[in-house]
Amino acid sequence: MLPDLDQLKATYLSQIAEADGLDGLDAIRVDALGKKGNISTAMKNLGQLDGDARREAGQALNALKNEIASAIEAKKEELARAALDARLASEQVDVTLSPRPEAEGRIHPLSRTLEEVTAIFAEMGFTVAEGPDIESDFYNFTALNIPPEHPARQEHDTFYLPPDAEGKRKVLRTHTSPVQIRTMEKIEPPIRIIAPGRTYRSDHDATHSPMFHQCEGLVIGKDIHMGHLKGCLIDFCRAFFGVDDLPVRFRPSYFPFTEPSAEVDIGCSREGGGLKIGAGDDWLEILGSGMVNPKVLENCGIDPNEYQGFAFGMGLERIAMLKYGIPDLRPFYDSDLRWMRHYGFMPFDPPSIHLGLGA
Ligand code: PHE
């Protein structure tokens, strides 16, 4: 009939007290309270009793069931606490241990220069545009008013790709100017973009690399004139080099895609073999510029009687070398850590640009 409840209680409570892990505790729970456990079975057998005896036994069984269940819960908490105490004791952190030195990276001078150039033009309301490194002859030359057989093509020392099915040869873009065309095809004026990126020419010495970087600029609007070109580029040069009264000179030049064209020089001095940027009796060429040739506007479906604008292009390595006194271009791409430690920038250095242009 009914098991001896006092006996059951004594057995289970002592088993629970002795349990040394959650698995053992669960086995006790199943044995006592599980579907086929002793208490559950006894409850099922209550039906065999009658009247008062059944009620009494039912109450006693319920009480026992609750007592065992809460003893199991309490033991569970005790085990969890003990496990945590053991972990805390074994995983102590020794705060007196000296820290392991962390390898610290550097920002490449070219990345830094690009950040600075972008920040200066962003202040003037420019956004950044992009184009592909592999260009069609049309975008790199023809649309920029450099027709086939034009001598400018030879000057570019172009890398050509093998001809495609139609016999057309793509090129590695020789300048960022094709992004002018792509931008004018895509968006309606007014336009105010810069387009930094990789460019390629077959040329290799201390100041030329077959892959290098340029930053293009393009401004198109109804009232844009050469005064805007000059003001924009003077402000840029002074902000970039951090010299408020930097002399800037516009020297007449020729590019097929601008008319008139001007090369931009900044003042410098070369006393005692060292180059110093600022007022002096010498000049350094730093970028090409001009008013967008009406033929180029027409090639892009923009009416030159309604719109005009200016464009410019500069070599990023060149301005980085001038600003940071880096004498040779080749180590830019050598990934030599000694060079990076010398010429690179700490990640959290604020960029040394002088914002608040026109101030
Ligand atoms: N694309 C020219 C170069 O590579 C630079 C330039 C850009 C000149 C835009 C005028 C206007 O030399």
Side-chain angles (χ1 to χ4, degrees):
M1 281 293 287
L2 274 190
D4 179 342
L5 296 191
D6 287 337
Q7 167 91 49
L8 265 188
K9 175 173 164 177
T11 315
Y12 281 129
L13 290 186
S14 81
Q15 281 182 9
I16 291 168
E18 280 160 27
D20 58 1
L22 290 176
D23 288 349
L25 200 60
D26 202 52
I28 299 168
R29 185 189 58 79
V30 172
D31 186 53
L33 311 174
K35 256 192 198 154
K36 295 184 179 154
N38 285 322
I39 310 271
S40 316
T41 309
M43 282 186 158
K44 275 182 212 142
N45 293 340
L46 279 177
Q48 295 167 7
L49 301 174
D50 36 33
D52 287 348
R54 185 164 71 191
R55 196 173 332 111
E56 232 172 75
Q59 281 172 0
L61 269 174
N62 251 330
L64 178 58
K65 180 181 152 190
N66 291 338
E67 195 171 345
I68 293 175
S70 47
I72 289 175
E73 270 319 299
K75 183 68 183 183
K76 235 189 221 170
E77 276 172 31
E78 184 191 318
L79 288 173
R81 222 176 306 123
L84 182 61
D85 286 345
R87 259 188 69 189
L88 287 175
S90 68
E91 293 180 6
Q92 259 182 26
V93 177
D94 180 356
V95 291
T96 64
L97 199 65
S98 45
R100 298 190 188 100
E102 263 183 46
E104 210 172 45
R106 291 284 188 280
I107 308 271
H108 196 285
L110 196 56
S111 307
R112 170 70 168 227
T113 300
L114 180 53
E115 275 169 20
E116 292 173 358
V117 169
T118 310
I120 294 168
F121 283 111
E123 276 269 303
M124 298 194 228
F126 284 71
T127 54
V128 172
E130 280 180 323
D133 289 15
I134 298 176
E135 264 300 5
S136 66
D137 185 276
F138 175 78
Y139 285 110
N140 196 79
F141 293 123
T142 311
L144 286 161
N145 195 35
I146 317 176
E149 314 309 327
H150 192 286
R153 291 202 182 208
Q154 273 75 60
E155 283 161 31
H156 277 215
D157 299 313
T158 314
F159 286 114
Y160 283 93
L161 273 70
D164 63 14
E166 294 161 31
K168 289 197 173 138
R169 307 186 76 180
K170 295 223 174 204
V171 301
L172 293 181
R173 65 178 178 188
T174 57
H175 50 179
T176 41
S177 300
V179 186
Q180 287 188 36
I181 306 297
R182 290 182 174 274
T183 305
M184 287 189 275
E185 281 182 350
K186 213 164 49 201
I187 57 175
E188 303 254 313
I191 292 172
R192 203 185 287 193
I193 57 111
I194 54 167
R198 294 192 186 96
T199 46
Y200 305 83
R201 290 181 199 177
S202 175
D203 209 349
H204 201 197
D205 61 36
T207 54
H208 295 89
S209 148
M211 188 281 296
F212 59 108
H213 296 73
Q214 284 192 341
C215 183
E216 195 78 9
L218 176 69
V219 175
I220 305 283
K222 288 195 169 150
D223 312 306
I224 301 295
H225 53 70
M226 192 127 186
H228 294 116
L229 177 157
K230 291 183 72 177
C232 171
L233 294 177
I234 291 171
D235 272 357
F236 167 74
C237 292
R238 292 183 174 166
F240 179 77
F241 289 101
V243 180
D244 289 345
D245 57 354
L246 180 68
V248 180
R249 175 174 85 170
F250 291 79
R251 184 166 36 80
S253 182
Y254 173 77
F255 298 102
F257 33 92
T258 47
E259 183 59 37
S261 302
E263 269 164 307
V264 179
D265 300 337
I266 55 171
C268 68
S269 59
R270 292 177 218 260
E271 277 151 33
L275 175 71
K276 195 165 163 283
I277 289 171
D281 43 21
D282 229 335
W283 295 97
L284 263 174
E285 176 195 322
I286 65 155
L287 55 88
S289 69
M291 300 305 292
V292 177
N293 191 317
K295 285 188 197 153
V296 173
L297 294 173
E298 269 168 13
N299 290 344
C300 302
I302 294 177
D303 180 358
N305 294 314
E306 200 180 345
Y307 288 104
Q308 47 187 348
F310 66 88
F312 55 89
M314 64 186 99
L316 288 174
E317 283 83 352
R318 179 167 168 76
I319 61 170
M321 287 165 77
L322 290 172
K323 178 167 179 177
Y324 296 115
I326 307 174
D328 193 330
L329 172 67
R330 288 164 292 201
F332 270 65
Y333 316 107
D334 285 346
S335 304
D336 182 334
L337 285 179
R338 290 164 304 178
W339 185 86
M340 270 299 278
R341 271 186 215 110
H342 185 83
Y343 288 110
F345 293 86
M346 301 291 283
F348 298 112
D349 276 357
S352 62
I353 54 165
H354 297 225
L355 293 177
L357 293 167

